[in-house]
Amino acid sequence: MNTIQRNFFRLLRCGVFHTTETLEPMSVHKWEKLHQLSILHDVQPYAYKGLEKCKDQFFVNLTEAQWKQWAQVTENNTNDDEEELLRPYKLTNPILNHQLQDILDDEQSDINTRKMLIQIIRIARHILNEGLPLRLLIDLGLMIKDKDSKVDYSTLAEWLRKLRFQQMAQLEGALLIELFGFETIDIPFAQGDVDKKTAIVAKELAEYTNVHKDFYFSQSPDSIFVHTSNSGALISHIKRSARYMRFIPSEALTNFFASFAHSLTHIEE
């Protein structure tokens, strides 16, 4: 990671998980880049909390205009609405989706455990389609740290096994360790130490900060040939699906074809 990214995650750890962090020196320009990074990942309120806690450090040299820019951040979007989290969620693999719906429809099961399962799945699908879901990952970390919200981790582990999400859950656990200083013992659903390959992929994913770009197919009125709107996005989507195949093979394959099929709907009849 570069200096901007390192300070970015220090601010998030400090602001969200109340760690003590020492920031590296940065120019005014780099502080502007860090602010843009927080907007890109939709974590401005979290980063601002960390910035307020670190504001007396010697190397925090923002301009007055930059402080005002940060201060405009409100607390309104720091927490996902509970109704949003409990909305019906779907997988692209029809067999796994049927099993998921059975789990979510079982109102006798613990609601907090179902909410954590949904969050793990949301993160997985975001990784497959867009890249690092930093905001969702922070929310997952907060759910784990919430002592008032009891989760049945034995049941969660069984659900993850049934849905074939164990490896993806392991990757998400590795991201919490890599980015936010969690220990393996803090993440019961990860089950055991994170293997080296998973840790490497988690580190590479953490350093990837790109904006999601859609691709779709179109056909010129005077041509029989079909063209893609963004060949780079298409290639990136293919590479991402292949890269995470080992973590969630059943969903990664169907997810790509579902995206591919969706893109075909842009072709004019």
Side-chain angles (χ1 to χ4, degrees), residues 59 184 193 223 241:
F59 293 120
T184 305
D193 294 333
S223 173
S241 296

Side-chain angles (χ1 to χ4, degrees), residues 11-24:
L11 290 179
L12 291 177
R13 287 194 294 270
C14 181
V16 181
F17 300 110
H18 311 295
T19 61
T20 300
E21 305 286 341
T22 301
L23 302 179
E24 297 178 55

Side-chain angles (χ1 to χ4, degrees), residues 37-69:
L37 193 60
S38 72
I39 294 174
L40 174 67
H41 287 283
D42 190 27
V43 292
Q44 310 99 299
Y46 296 129
Y48 182 50
K49 282 184 179 180
L51 186 59
E52 284 188 309
K53 292 180 179 179
C54 299
K55 64 182 179 182
D56 293 329
Q57 292 187 22
F58 181 76
F59 293 120
V60 179
N61 61 334
L62 284 73
T63 66
E64 184 177 347
Q66 286 177 320
W67 277 112
K68 289 181 179 179
Q69 190 178 38

Side-chain angles (χ1 to χ4, degrees), residues 95-189:
I95 297 175
L96 297 184
N97 184 59
H98 179 73
Q99 294 176 335
L100 173 62
Q101 300 313 312
D102 286 344
I103 292 171
L104 299 182
D105 289 342
D106 182 10
E107 296 183 359
Q108 299 303 313
S109 62
D110 178 64
I111 189 171
N112 291 323
T113 308
R114 278 183 280 155
K115 286 167 65 175
M116 185 165 287
L117 174 66
I118 292 173
Q119 190 71 358
I120 291 171
I121 292 174
R122 291 174 75 193
I123 292 171
R125 289 193 50 74
H126 201 291
I127 288 175
L128 287 175
N129 291 302
E130 301 182 50
L132 179 65
L134 196 52
R135 175 68 177 270
L136 298 179
L137 198 65
I138 288 174
D139 291 339
L140 177 61
L142 289 172
M143 292 173 70
I144 294 172
K145 292 286 189 179
D146 186 0
K147 301 302 182 183
D148 296 327
S149 179
K150 302 297 183 182
V151 173
D152 185 344
Y153 285 105
S154 296
T155 299
L156 180 62
E158 176 59 24
W159 288 346
L160 292 172
R161 183 199 63 76
K162 183 180 294 186
L163 297 173
R164 303 175 190 174
F165 261 73
Q166 303 104 308
Q167 289 296 317
M168 182 55 78
Q170 194 85 358
L171 176 60
E172 293 177 24
L175 285 166
L176 289 172
I177 292 170
E178 172 69 24
L179 299 178
F180 300 117
F182 277 62
E183 301 289 341
T184 305
I185 194 172
D186 298 327
I187 313 170
F189 63 78

